[in-house]
Amino acid sequence: MRNPTLLQFFHWYYPQGSKLWPEAADRAPWLAETGFTALWLPPAYKGESGGYSVGYDSYDLFDLGEFDAKGSRATKYGDKQQLLDAIAALKSHQLGVILDVVFNHKMGADEKERVQVNRVNPVNREEIDDEAIDADIWTRFTFPQRAGQYSQFIWDHKCFSGVDHIENPDENGVFKIVNDYTGDGWNDQVDDELGNFDYLMGANIDFRNHAVTEELKYWARWVLQETGCTGFRLDAVKHIPAWFYKEWIDHVQEVADQPLFMVAEYWSYELDKLQHYIHQVGGKTMLFDAPLQLNFHHASEQGADYDLTQIFNDTLVAADAFHAVTLVDNHDTQPLQALEAPVAQWFRPLAYGLILLREQGVPCVFYPDLFGARYQDEGGDGDQHEIEIAPIAELEALVRARQQYAHGVQTDYFDHASCIAFSRSGTEELPGCVVILSNGEEGEKNVALGEHDAGTAWYDLLGHRDETVTCDDAGNGLFRCNGGSISVWVKQ
């Protein structure tokens, strides 16, 4: 089995105009040949903003770009047939297809309802006013354009626990809906930020309503059959009760033709919260390693002042590699986005070397790092900013190196604050490598490879160093890298 390697095949500012699904189909042969094993696609269903939607303002899970709703038939990325064609092309090249699942909320309701709500303290969601007030809220989803095709389920206020906007009276804030399921307040088994982080945005789906959970299980069966996807990325799980996803994952794994790849976004820099969630769901999903991404961000900002020997401290991949998906950046951490913590350009090759060539974790590459991106948006300062993310020159070689050289036992040489290294021993069938990186001046490491490598000659696969390293009779070699750089040494 090849080393699993994911590609997040989009970013927040990917251009509209039905281009992404055809691009995925066109690139499928090259992506497979380069060494990727699966693509994570953005939400494929209709959002509130129709053809402009990135996908996280989920409106209709059953509209994969098929119905003329929210101002367009296609989603931002293409219509349903283009999606199915892309999935078929990817799978024909043995590439897995991971669909994005947004179950936390719905947006863009078709009708208002007159109900009762309680005002909630937005900074402490446990403080809920005793007084219930009458208000109009947008919580009735009838999907008139789809007209009951695929599912006749109508969502109303009993399917939701909260909203952030009411009318008559007109107010913005956080409001708990009064219905048969919310008498005890918010859901349990969610993150404890703001007292209880069940509510995030939009019409907040309430999983205590059995009809809701059964509809979401039905959708999973439908989308598996409709698309043939091979896995799911679960959005915003810190706001969704863990008991629901434990049950939902069990269900979809049971009905799927083959084991599905599961990775969830619990975006917290607190390792104990990630480990607690994995325990709550019975280890049934992997998580993105947010603490490692933050370490990369800090390392890139601090330069030579950052102690590289600490780069994996308090990370999920160090504590529980079996459940860790590692990353350098994503659509939320990229510049001008909600969790902005970008990794500086100079450090990106080093960070990718640390996730692609090591034994632990499943690495996920970010689309702009491979293909570049340019966009403009308003920043937190209220000004417009032009952003350009240049492709990483070494990234293709690093992905290829993962398949060709990242094999065998790993030995770490984390013995200097500004220069670290590790070796992969290789196997009887597959070669290994030596990886060395520095965030300061030129670095070197004496690496003991063993007598079986006596006299072997090594070169830098990335071309940053011109010399050849020849191991001595004991199989020891002195390997170097440039300052602020990475070298991947392989046998000639």
Side-chain angles (χ1 to χ4, degrees), residues 195-208:
N196 176 297
F197 219 172
D198 182 1
Y199 186 82
L200 177 63
M201 62 177 74
N204 190 67
I205 292 176
D206 196 333
F207 302 89
R208 292 168 292 193

Side-chain angles (χ1 to χ4, degrees), residues 386-397:
E386 184 85 28
I387 301 295
E388 181 170 2
I389 301 175
I392 298 169
E394 302 93 337
L395 187 50
E396 180 184 341

Side-chain angles (χ1 to χ4, degrees), residues 107-122:
M107 294 182 171
D110 301 296
E111 300 172 17
K112 290 186 286 190
E113 298 180 272
R114 189 70 176 173
V115 301
Q116 288 197 315
V117 299
N118 306 104
R119 294 183 178 93
V120 178
N121 181 349

Side-chain angles (χ1 to χ4, degrees), residues 138-325:
W138 289 92
T139 45
R140 189 167 171 81
F141 292 77
T142 61
F143 315 113
Q145 290 80 8
R146 182 160 56 78
Q149 188 170 343
Y150 305 128
S151 170
Q152 297 182 3
F153 191 86
I154 300 297
W155 296 71
D156 64 15
H157 73 281
K158 292 183 179 180
C159 302
F160 305 101
S161 60
V163 292
D164 54 9
H165 173 74
I166 61 174
E167 297 178 5
N168 192 23
D170 290 358
E171 292 182 31
N172 294 320
V174 178
F175 307 91
K176 184 182 75 67
I177 299 168
V178 177
N179 62 33
D180 297 341
Y181 305 98
T182 60
D184 294 329
W186 303 107
N187 267 293
D188 62 357
Q189 289 196 15
V190 296
D191 193 270
D192 61 3
E193 189 177 341
L194 303 177
N196 176 297
F197 219 172
D198 182 1
Y199 186 82
L200 177 63
M201 62 177 74
N204 190 67
I205 292 176
D206 196 333
F207 302 89
R208 292 168 292 193
N209 183 332
H210 184 66
V212 166
T213 60
E214 290 305 301
E215 175 71 357
L216 296 178
K217 289 177 187 175
Y218 165 67
W219 174 81
R221 299 194 299 274
W222 174 83
V223 82
L224 280 169
Q225 183 174 4
E226 202 78 6
T227 67
C229 67
T230 62
F232 293 109
R233 179 261 184 189
L234 312 177
D235 182 63
V237 299
K238 68 193 287 185
H239 309 283
I240 296 171
W243 57 259
F244 163 74
Y245 260 132
K246 183 179 182 182
E247 183 180 301
W248 186 86
I249 292 170
D250 272 343
H251 178 74
V252 296
Q253 294 286 20
E254 184 178 331
V255 300
D257 294 334
Q258 59 184 12
L260 299 171
F261 182 88
M262 294 282 177
V263 58
E265 179 221 17
Y266 193 116
W267 202 260
S268 173
Y269 300 126
E270 298 177 48
L271 175 60
D272 59 338
K273 286 189 174 184
L274 303 186
Q275 292 179 294
H276 181 58
Y277 183 82
I278 291 168
H279 173 73
Q280 285 182 311
V281 297
K284 298 177 188 300
T285 180
M286 304 179 80
L287 296 183
F288 290 104
D289 196 343
L292 178 63
Q293 194 278 331
L294 185 66
N295 285 0
F296 287 157
H297 170 68
H298 289 323
S300 75
E301 294 291 310
Q302 296 173 25
D305 293 332
Y306 187 90
D307 184 351
L308 286 177
T309 67
Q310 310 300 306
I311 196 76
F312 290 108
N313 276 22
D314 301 317
T315 63
L316 184 60
V317 73
D320 183 2
F322 184 75
H323 288 103
V325 171

